[in-house]
């Protein structure tokens, strides 16, 4: 096998770590450089209701195959936890509002579905 140059991945978030893993799979030596004091980027673990859970900007959707496959490859698929099925909601002004129906990526297709949550001027805008 020809000599592969050493690779440096800037950023130890999930994207950087997956890139490093792909480079290792290709036979490269890899150094990951991260500015913060831990790897994982926005993904981190927190204790919620007495259980340690992964949280972050999005966590991940287990219905997509990529992340569960990555967890299986890293031999930690059995650590995946599924949240209880609860309807999404918005808390504003101390009131929990149900997530409007008929949204595209969370944006209401009918502004009237957020009446009460938003003012009339905000809805008009």
């Amino acid at each position: 096998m020809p000599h592969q140059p050493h690779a440096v991945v800037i950023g130890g978030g999930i994207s950087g770590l997956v890139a490093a893993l792909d480079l290792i799979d290709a036979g490269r030596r890899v150094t990951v450089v991260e500015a913060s004091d831990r790897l994982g980027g926005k993904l981190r673990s927190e204790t919620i209701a007495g259980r340690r859970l992964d949280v972050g900007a999005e966590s991940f959707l287990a219905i997509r195959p990529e992340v569960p496959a990555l967890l299986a490859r890293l031999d930690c698929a059995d650590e995946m936890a599924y949240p209880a099925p609860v309807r999404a909601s918005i808390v504003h002004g101390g009131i929990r509002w149900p997530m409007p129906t008929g949204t595209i990526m969370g944006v209401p297709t009918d502004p009237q579905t957020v009446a009460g949550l938003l003012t009339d001027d905000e809805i008009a805008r």
Side-chain angles (χ1 to χ4, degrees), residues 59-73:
S59 292
F60 65 87
L61 293 174
I63 59 172
R64 295 280 310 165
E66 295 86 356
V67 173
L70 177 62
L71 294 176
R73 179 169 175 218

Side-chain angles (χ1 to χ4, degrees), residues 49-105:
R51 182 165 182 169
R52 200 84 176 140
L53 297 174
D54 292 329
V55 298
E58 296 291 337
S59 292
F60 65 87
L61 293 174
I63 59 172
R64 295 280 310 165
E66 295 86 356
V67 173
L70 177 62
L71 294 176
R73 179 169 175 218
L74 298 174
D75 197 28
C76 59
D78 58 336
E79 296 181 36
M80 187 165 45
Y82 295 90
V86 293
R87 184 164 176 200
S89 59
I90 301 167
V91 176
H92 176 67
I95 300 170
R96 182 175 302 276
W97 300 83
M99 183 64 108
T101 58
T103 65
I104 298 176
M105 297 180 66

Side-chain angles (χ1 to χ4, degrees), residues 10-125:
I10 308 298
I14 189 66
S15 297
L17 294 175
V18 169
L21 187 59
D22 285 348
L23 287 164
I24 290 167
D25 286 347
R28 304 285 292 272
R29 290 185 314 120
V30 178
T31 298
V32 176
V33 179
E34 171 56 41
S36 73
D37 61 349
R38 64 173 191 76
L39 297 174
K42 299 294 182 195
L43 300 178
R44 64 191 185 288
S45 294
E46 296 287 341
T47 301
I48 300 172
R51 182 165 182 169
R52 200 84 176 140
L53 297 174
D54 292 329
V55 298
E58 296 291 337
S59 292
F60 65 87
L61 293 174
I63 59 172
R64 295 280 310 165
E66 295 86 356
V67 173
L70 177 62
L71 294 176
R73 179 169 175 218
L74 298 174
D75 197 28
C76 59
D78 58 336
E79 296 181 36
M80 187 165 45
Y82 295 90
V86 293
R87 184 164 176 200
S89 59
I90 301 167
V91 176
H92 176 67
I95 300 170
R96 182 175 302 276
W97 300 83
M99 183 64 108
T101 58
T103 65
I104 298 176
M105 297 180 66
V107 177
T109 55
D110 177 3
Q112 292 308 312
T113 62
V114 291
L117 174 61
L118 300 179
T119 67
D120 290 342
D121 288 342
E122 290 167 331
I123 290 172
R125 212 176 29 241

